[in-house]
Amino acid sequence: MFTGIVEELGEVTAVEQLEEASRFRLRGPLVTEGAKHGDSIAVNGVCLTVVETADGEFTADVMQETLNRSSLGALTQGSRVNLERPMALGGRLGGHLVQGHVDGTGEIISRTPSEHWEIVKVALPENLSRYVVEKGSITVDGVSLTVVEAAADWFTISLIPTTLALTTLGIKQSGDPVNLEVDVLAKYVERLLAAGVNPLHATGDHR
């Protein structure tokens, strides 16, 4: 489980194409500190398993399913990436609950800079539209953000200077793909309602 608060702006140092998979080597001295085989690290919002670490870098194998559902397949040597370690139990929840399970990809439509922030408009896949609401939470390339406006096929987010400077959202351009993860709580509520269960009175006793 993650919070969507990016810890480090990392870099892809190598990409190896495998049969129906890819192996990435990524540089991130902070997130690899104390990391070991089997640990999880979110890369642009995608939860990946560490294969090995050495000299501030780690490798991760990405299966075809993940490449199909996210923008990781577009990464090449030198690409910058957002990195985050899993949330520690008992720690502060700075963003919102993020699983690192990408629901789909969007595309940056436009960027509108102002003096103290920048408004970014992102295309929204039709199947995710119902989960995105004004003032709700969404994860874009692993960054926990608040939705400013929500339409049927797009939404906007407001980026402060810190986010622009410390994440890849500061260098993404119009037309670039981004990974999207919607609020998992909304999906659970939808599933319960579809089953005819009132979430406010659900007991788990189906006898």
Side-chain angles (χ1 to χ4, degrees):
M1 191 69 72
F2 304 88
T3 66
I5 304 300
V6 173
E7 295 185 275
E8 186 172 20
L9 189 58
E11 181 180 348
V12 177
T13 58
V15 179
E16 180 184 356
Q17 301 298 329
L18 307 174
E19 185 176 356
E20 296 187 346
S22 293
R23 173 166 291 180
F24 290 87
R25 175 167 286 277
L26 306 106
R27 180 160 183 78
L30 176 62
V31 298
T32 55
E33 184 178 345
K36 59 185 182 301
H37 174 78
D39 285 350
S40 296
I41 295 177
V43 179
N44 281 355
V46 182
C47 179
L48 298 181
T49 301
V50 174
V51 175
E52 60 183 6
T53 64
D55 301 323
E57 297 187 344
F58 70 99
T59 58
D61 291 330
V62 184
M63 59 184 177
Q64 190 63 47
E65 173 73 5
T66 303
L67 295 172
N68 291 341
R69 289 181 173 268
S70 74
S71 64
L72 294 190
L75 295 178
T76 59
Q77 184 176 353
S79 294
R80 305 305 300 274
V81 290
N82 297 321
L83 302 175
E84 181 192 356
R85 292 169 291 188
M87 175 180 64
L89 288 176
R92 291 184 176 88
L93 183 62
H96 70 285
L97 293 176
V98 177
Q99 294 181 298
H101 301 162
V102 171
D103 293 301
T105 58
E107 183 179 294
I108 294 179
I109 298 173
S110 64
R111 306 185 67 114
T112 306
S114 64
E115 185 177 358
H116 298 295
W117 64 85
E118 187 167 338
I119 298 294
V120 178
K121 187 175 183 179
V122 182
L124 181 64
E126 182 180 356
N127 65 313
L128 299 182
S129 179
R130 63 187 181 276
Y131 303 116
V132 181
V133 297
E134 183 178 328
K135 305 305 179 187
S137 296
I138 191 166
T139 308
V140 180
D141 267 2
V143 183
S144 173
L145 297 164
T146 299
V147 176
V148 177
E149 293 182 273
D153 57 357
W154 58 265
F155 66 93
T156 59
I157 47 179
S158 181
L159 305 181
I160 61 175
T162 297
T163 305
L164 293 169
L166 299 181
T167 75
T168 60
L169 296 183
I171 57 177
K172 291 276 187 175
Q173 302 295 319
S174 296
D176 284 346
V178 288
N179 293 320
L180 302 176
E181 181 182 340
V182 298
D183 192 340
V184 66
L185 298 180
K187 293 190 288 185
Y188 277 121
V189 170
E190 179 186 56
R191 184 64 178 265
L192 288 170
L193 292 175
V197 177
N198 185 334
L200 297 179
H201 299 96
T203 63
D205 188 347
H206 300 292
R207 290 177 297 177

